[in-house]
Amino acid sequence: MGASAVADVADVAERFREQYGAEPEGVWAAPGRVNLIGEHTDYNDGFVMPFALPHTTIAAVSRRTDGVLRLHSADVEGGAVELTLDSLAPESDRHWTAYPAGVVWALREVGHTAITGADVHLASTVPTGAGLSSSAALEVVVALALNDLYELGLRGWQLARLCQRAENVYVGAPTGIMDQTASACCEAGHALFLDTRDLSQRQIPFDLAAEGMRLLVVDTRVKHAHSDGEYGKRRAGCEKGAALLGVDALRDVPYDGLDAALARLGDEEEVRRLVRHIVTENERVERVVSLLQAGDTRAIGPVLVEGHASLRDDFRISCPELDLVVDTALGAGAVGARMTGGGFGGSAIVLIEAADEETVTKAVEEAFATAGFTAPRVFAAVPAAGARRLM
Ligand code: GLA
């Protein structure tokens, strides 16, 4: 996927001209992400640690003054979709256009009514349905473009909040804040240590090449979907756990108070499992941060593996393909591996010594072929830049 990860800016601007018959006022990019550690903690006010991929969604955008929003994508058949700003309403759109339209709706809803329309042409290299946050990239790129063009003065984390609102309310998917913040705020060469309670951030240097290491992303090609209910069920279960324990969010259950919390939950077995995952996962994020800051990158491997076991056995959101990636990669010498993102398909990450790239990749591909699974898509990921203006 190397070179093709980056779409051609001039090409996107040219397609805008073809579509709308004028120059775009600007061109912006927002990346997809992988999450190093901290899964399903974001709607529990916990910690996450994503980094941006080189794969981006690019938007060429111009303002309009007539209350019309036109949306066109190079990745979808057909012409531009035309919407009027006054008709934008939550859960009224089941197509890809709900993401960018939802962002416009969310911005206007909090008072940015200076937005009077836009022409948007989009092109993306973020794989869709692969758990790599193609939707967040789509939301954030539109939010950033409008923020710049309409001079709204919003910071990255504020754009992320509005994009999350677009996804939760307009699209109707009950996701947390991680993906949008990653897309808006990540920096090249770093993983983002984010406290999702107050959105405070620390950029943690994550230069695997300097350590002779690599991180592979393995897209299992099993399409995940958030709106199919399982994600929402986990979220509701976590909220039930917090209510039973009398805390605002599971973030408030300290790691050294876990046994006592589990004892208090008595025979609520399912809630106990969810609570155990969230509390231990927050501790794993803190451990990974400490290890990286101590320069002990290899030592994060076992922590990733623990995280996978917790998602598989306690949170129960893995699938045979994800487990096969993890088991096969570890068997072939990987330093660590785990599923990443929402689960039920999507991608896994594999931490390896650079010299083992071919062996591990081949082992995973062969295991998939033997199991009769669709061939996975494997690429090495280097932490890339967050959302930015290109032109
Ligand atoms: C999806 C959601 C995020 C987060 C992850 C799991 O990517 O969009 O908010 O909950 O799943 O960590």
Side-chain angles (χ1 to χ4, degrees), residues 163-196:
C163 290
Q164 184 200 13
R165 185 160 169 73
E167 184 144 347
N168 290 171
V169 181
Y170 196 91
V171 177
T175 54
I177 189 73
M178 168 168 70
D179 305 344
Q180 293 83 0
T181 314
S183 187
C185 303
C186 277
E187 288 179 9
H190 295 77
L192 177 70
F193 175 35
L194 175 71
D195 180 339
T196 63

Side-chain angles (χ1 to χ4, degrees), residues 39 73 122 147 184 193 220:
E39 223 63 88
S73 168
L122 296 148
N147 186 47
F193 175 35
T220 61

Side-chain angles (χ1 to χ4, degrees), residues 259-390:
D259 288 344
L262 294 178
R264 280 184 62 193
L265 289 169
D267 57 5
E268 290 276 358
E269 188 45 34
E270 197 178 322
V271 177
R272 283 162 55 99
R273 281 194 279 100
L274 299 179
V275 170
R276 189 161 51 215
H277 168 72
I278 298 301
V279 175
T280 58
E281 186 78 349
N282 278 326
E283 188 274 339
R284 280 186 284 274
V285 178
E286 292 188 288
R287 227 184 321 152
V288 165
V289 172
S290 304
L291 289 168
L292 289 180
Q293 287 191 318
D296 203 357
T297 309
R298 283 174 181 78
I300 75 171
V303 190
L304 303 186
V305 179
E306 274 175 45
H308 184 77
S310 181
L311 289 163
R312 182 191 59 210
D313 304 335
D314 272 343
F315 222 65
R316 302 199 179 175
I317 57 169
S318 189
C319 65
E321 290 83 352
L322 287 167
D323 292 341
L324 187 61
V325 176
V326 171
D327 295 344
T328 309
L330 293 174
V335 177
R338 66 175 204 91
M339 55 152 285
T340 186
F344 309 105
S347 299
I349 54 172
V350 179
L351 184 67
I352 53 167
E353 303 293 346
D356 293 339
E357 182 167 355
E358 214 184 299
T359 324
V360 172
T361 304
K362 233 173 129 205
V364 170
E365 284 169 353
E366 281 174 10
F368 267 54
T370 306
F373 296 155
T374 305
R377 185 162 29 182
V378 186
F379 62 94
V382 177
R388 61 219 179 254
R389 187 170 192 158
L390 300 176

Side-chain angles (χ1 to χ4, degrees), residues 53-89:
L53 290 172
H55 309 73
T56 59
T57 296
I58 297 190
V61 184
S62 286
R63 285 167 291 182
R64 296 177 65 93
T65 54
D66 58 356
V68 169
L69 174 65
R70 292 196 291 181
L71 300 167
H72 183 258
S73 168
D75 311 311
V76 181
E77 292 277 313
V81 173
E82 187 167 323
L83 304 163
T84 55
L85 299 188
D86 288 343
S87 70
L88 301 181

Side-chain angles (χ1 to χ4, degrees), residues 33 35 38-43 133 167 175-179 226 231 341-342:
R33 63 97 190 94
N35 190 18
E39 223 63 88
H40 286 258
T41 44
D42 63 349
Y43 53 81
S133 293
E167 184 144 347
T175 54
I177 189 73
M178 168 168 70
D179 305 344
H226 289 154
Y231 185 97

Side-chain angles (χ1 to χ4, degrees), residues 83-320:
L83 304 163
T84 55
L85 299 188
D86 288 343
S87 70
L88 301 181
E91 302 201 38
S92 59
D93 184 351
R94 292 278 156 232
H95 303 102
W96 69 273
T97 44
Y99 295 94
V103 169
V104 177
W105 170 84
L107 282 163
R108 284 170 53 85
E109 206 221 11
V110 297
H112 298 296
T113 47
I115 299 173
T116 48
D119 283 338
V120 182
H121 170 73
L122 296 148
S124 186
T125 58
V126 187
T128 55
L132 302 175
S133 293
S134 59
S135 11
L138 177 53
E139 292 154 4
V140 169
V141 76
V142 170
L144 183 65
L146 296 175
N147 186 47
D148 282 357
L149 288 176
Y150 283 100
E151 297 177 5
L152 306 179
L154 298 168
R155 312 257 312 268
W157 65 270
Q158 293 172 302
L159 295 176
R161 274 257 183 264
L162 285 161
C163 290
Q164 184 200 13
R165 185 160 169 73
E167 184 144 347
N168 290 171
V169 181
Y170 196 91
V171 177
T175 54
I177 189 73
M178 168 168 70
D179 305 344
Q180 293 83 0
T181 314
S183 187
C185 303
C186 277
E187 288 179 9
H190 295 77
L192 177 70
F193 175 35
L194 175 71
D195 180 339
T196 63
R197 170 158 276 170
D198 61 7
L199 296 192
S200 58
Q201 313 180 355
R202 252 159 65 201
Q203 302 286 347
I204 309 291
F206 191 50
D207 183 359
L208 289 171
E211 307 262 341
M213 302 186 76
R214 291 234 158 92
L215 190 132
L216 302 178
V217 175
V218 182
D219 171 8
T220 61
R221 314 294 286 269
V222 179
K223 293 275 176 192
H224 78 117
H226 289 154
S227 36
D228 70 358
E230 288 298 327
Y231 185 97
K233 274 191 215 158
R234 299 304 183 286
R235 185 169 183 153
C238 289
E239 281 159 9
K240 181 174 174 192
L244 289 172
L245 293 168
V247 291
D248 285 345
L250 291 182
R251 148 71 176 278
D252 297 312
V253 179
Y255 183 65
D256 60 10
L258 176 60
D259 288 344
L262 294 178
R264 280 184 62 193
L265 289 169
D267 57 5
E268 290 276 358
E269 188 45 34
E270 197 178 322
V271 177
R272 283 162 55 99
R273 281 194 279 100
L274 299 179
V275 170
R276 189 161 51 215
H277 168 72
I278 298 301
V279 175
T280 58
E281 186 78 349
N282 278 326
E283 188 274 339
R284 280 186 284 274
V285 178
E286 292 188 288
R287 227 184 321 152
V288 165
V289 172
S290 304
L291 289 168
L292 289 180
Q293 287 191 318
D296 203 357
T297 309
R298 283 174 181 78
I300 75 171
V303 190
L304 303 186
V305 179
E306 274 175 45
H308 184 77
S310 181
L311 289 163
R312 182 191 59 210
D313 304 335
D314 272 343
F315 222 65
R316 302 199 179 175
I317 57 169
S318 189
C319 65

